[in-house]
Amino acid sequence: MPRILYSDYDYPDIALEREVFAQHGIDVTAAQCRTEDEVIEAAQGAFGILLQYAPITERVVSALPDLGIVSRIGAGYDTVDTEACARHGVWVANSPDYGVGEVATHALGLALALIRNIVACHRDIAGGNWHYLSSGRLRRPRELSLGIVGLGRIGKRMAQLSRDVFKRVLAYDPYLIDGDFPVFVERARTLDALARAADVVTLHTPLTRETRGMIDAGFLAAMPRGGYLVNTARGAVVDVPALVDALDSGHVAGAGLDVLPVEPVPRDSRLLADPRVVLTPHSAFYSVEAEVELRRKAAQNLATWLATGRPDYIVSAGTRLPRR
Ligand code: NAD
């Protein structure tokens, strides 16, 4: 019977994935691999790996000659070395479209919480202060501009949801052609141009060599004073010490962060102590329906590859073929 390794997961049970694999006559070995060595040992002889966070590196791929495909449960795949997989002919798949609406709605929710002081007011009331000005003055949303960094699936949905809230919606995405921009979205030609024009910046890029630390002190300084930052992409896209400095100086008025470079947030993080920061626990993707879709589609990639030689959702194509 063909076998896959379910390398790691934080779900209470994996009945859903077992059902998908049983329907296709695939045997599952479930593990909780954290290191390269654990993946290498557990995946011997497996044709595929279904993973949440396990490291799929050059060392791992080169030690697994039977491996044809890895499928990430999620849209991002930064724990998978896609170049190493391509060198060895291993397909990389993901599950990108399960929570587009969830993440975009969450990003807009964080933006609205910031520009309306919602969490800050709640905290003030809990502290005994009931006054509409308790958390400071607010600007009219219709006078603010929204800047979207990364106009892919989620960025585009965010643009649609936000167009009736803000005065302008701008986006920066150097990988798109002009025709990919919806008519109501203004194109910013450079990241700096977006920073200068946007009162609210929302991040929707993957984490790559290029985007790591992209939102740095220079970017934040270029934003108009009193601006807001929302990050539902990946924590390391933002230089967090630079953000803390920008909040301390008052240049940035608030930040809504669903993702952080280190998760969970360290208890002594200055972000936790700052009333202008709203945090959520990497939950933007989540709804009951999205989680089922996410897991089913990621598992189905492996079954589809076994049947056809291609997964449903390709991150990068491989050359290895299923054994007949
Ligand atoms: P996508 O691939 O559809 O869109 C990403 C966009 O970013 C693309 O259009 C790409 O051209 C653009 N991009 C790449 N490099 C860029 C750069 N240097 N500057 C500007 N734009 C750049 O991906 P998506 O489905 O919209 O998801 C976006 C990201 O959101 C994912 O990579 C993932 O990291 C994150 N995400 C987070 C959660 C969560 O729960 N917080 C859930 C799902 C996805």
Side-chain angles (χ1 to χ4, degrees), residues 98-99 101-103 283-294:
Y98 64 93
E102 278 80 354
V103 182
S283 56
F285 74 95
Y286 178 71
S287 68
V288 172
E289 295 84 352
E291 185 175 295
V292 169
E293 190 178 333
L294 158 73

Side-chain angles (χ1 to χ4, degrees), residues 14 52 93 140 157 206 212 217 240 254 258 276 302:
I14 56 166
Q52 219 175 356
R140 175 178 282 176
R157 186 71 68 88
R212 185 178 288 277
V240 170
D258 182 55
R276 294 159 305 173
L302 299 173

Side-chain angles (χ1 to χ4, degrees), residues 175-228:
Y175 294 98
L176 299 189
I177 57 167
D178 289 346
D180 289 330
F181 280 66
V183 284
F184 60 91
V185 178
E186 290 173 48
R187 181 163 204 170
R189 292 279 166 196
T190 64
L191 189 60
D192 187 64
L194 180 126
R196 289 184 189 286
D199 303 290
V200 181
V201 171
T202 181
L203 307 177
H204 299 290
T205 63
L207 177 62
T208 63
R209 268 197 289 269
E210 192 183 32
T211 62
R212 185 178 288 277
M214 182 166 78
I215 305 303
D216 58 9
F219 179 95
L220 296 167
M223 283 177 66
R225 189 173 177 80
Y228 301 91

Side-chain angles (χ1 to χ4, degrees), residues 109 112-123:
L112 296 176
L114 294 171
I115 65 177
R116 300 302 308 157
N117 267 347
I118 286 174
V119 178
C121 281
H122 177 84
R123 230 179 259 186

